[in-house]
Amino acid sequence: MAVARPVTDSGIFRLIKETLANREDIQILFYSDAYLCSTNQFLTLLGSSKHYLVNNVSITRILSGVEGEYKVVALKADSPIRERARSTGRPVDELLWQAGCRLSRGRLLTGCSSHDIAFLVQWPNFTRVHRSPNALRIAALWSGRPVALDVTARLLNIPLTEVYQFYSAARLAGYVETLSRPGTNSITSTAAGQLANDGVLKRLVGRLMSL
């Protein structure tokens, strides 16, 4: 069983979260061997409209970037770069999902528990984002009714680390709602465990096993 440890924020990931929270528009330029600061390797992030645009740089490099490897430029309201990202960029929740998958490494976000009860409020666009082997089955299960993370792993007979990764990515992207935590007075982890005995859920799991 995976140990629940905090997901570590990289410097750029903290910058991404702050930019979105402050509704700012920025471009992050990455250094290359050919140029002091490459205009061909960048992440454009629009906190104002929640869009992003990546050019010639991987999500792995973005998340692993440290100070001295990139330059941050604030974008003006009339910037053509800003307009390009707004018109051709992707929704920023997809970037957050990708970040969650890579930062998680099978662990949970800070403050989360294996007994958290999750309900999927929006399906990820699996044609655009990373999909683990059982992502479709987890999504189908959680969109049907709320289920605890540890119960999810048992019902689908999959590694708990994969459930943790999906949950971490979905929480960062805003795709999942956590209905309760251990010690709360709403749905309890005991009640979540009882879901496994629900006939409707059993039939749902049977269909998921055939996916």
Side-chain angles (χ1 to χ4, degrees), residues 41-58:
Q41 299 175 350
F42 60 81
L43 164 66
T44 302
L45 183 64
L46 304 184
S48 60
S49 64
K50 308 301 186 203
H51 288 85
Y52 80 100
L53 183 65
V54 171
N55 194 72
N56 291 331
V57 59
S58 67

Side-chain angles (χ1 to χ4, degrees), residues 18-25 46-50:
E18 291 169 359
T19 299
L20 295 175
N22 296 329
R23 300 186 62 83
E24 298 171 337
D25 297 334
L46 304 184
S48 60
S49 64
K50 308 301 186 203

Side-chain angles (χ1 to χ4, degrees), residues 172-184:
L172 286 180
Y175 295 156
V176 72
E177 179 181 349
T178 302
L179 299 188
S180 73
R181 297 275 174 80
T184 65

Side-chain angles (χ1 to χ4, degrees), residues 3-196:
V3 177
R5 296 175 179 170
V7 170
T8 302
D9 291 357
S10 70
I12 291 185
F13 186 58
R14 286 196 298 272
L15 175 61
I16 289 173
K17 293 195 298 184
E18 291 169 359
T19 299
L20 295 175
N22 296 329
R23 300 186 62 83
E24 298 171 337
D25 297 334
I26 65 171
Q27 187 172 50
I28 304 174
L29 303 171
F30 291 85
Y31 291 98
S32 69
D33 294 334
Y35 301 97
L36 178 63
C37 199
S38 175
T39 57
N40 196 40
Q41 299 175 350
F42 60 81
L43 164 66
T44 302
L45 183 64
L46 304 184
S48 60
S49 64
K50 308 301 186 203
H51 288 85
Y52 80 100
L53 183 65
V54 171
N55 194 72
N56 291 331
V57 59
S58 67
I59 185 67
T60 300
R61 185 178 181 191
I62 291 173
L63 295 176
S64 62
V66 296
E67 188 175 354
E69 295 180 348
Y70 59 88
K71 175 183 178 182
V72 181
V73 179
L75 298 178
K76 297 181 179 179
D78 60 350
S79 168
I81 297 172
R82 181 175 178 269
E83 181 55 36
R84 177 188 171 194
R86 185 187 296 273
S87 60
T88 65
R90 298 297 305 167
V92 75
D93 54 272
E94 295 180 3
L95 176 63
L96 295 176
W97 170 278
Q98 301 282 62
C101 284
R102 284 161 175 76
L103 291 173
S104 168
R105 299 193 299 275
R107 301 173 301 172
L108 286 171
L109 295 170
T110 303
C112 295
S113 163
S114 64
H115 301 300
D116 283 359
I117 299 174
F119 181 72
L120 196 69
V121 296
Q122 178 182 335
W123 272 68
N125 184 348
F126 286 124
T127 64
R128 290 281 186 173
V129 301
H130 170 79
R131 186 180 80 187
S132 62
N134 296 287
L136 287 173
R137 298 172 64 207
I138 298 172
L141 180 62
W142 288 3
S143 63
R145 66 186 307 163
V147 185
L149 307 190
D150 50 358
V151 175
T152 297
R154 293 199 301 271
L155 286 175
L156 300 181
N157 192 27
I158 62 177
L160 189 55
T161 51
E162 185 176 354
V163 179
Y164 283 173
Q165 182 189 52
F166 186 103
Y167 184 57
S168 297
R171 276 184 61 85
L172 286 180
Y175 295 156
V176 72
E177 179 181 349
T178 302
L179 299 188
S180 73
R181 297 275 174 80
T184 65
N185 293 322
S186 54
I187 303 175
T188 65
S189 57
T190 300
Q194 292 173 346
L195 292 176

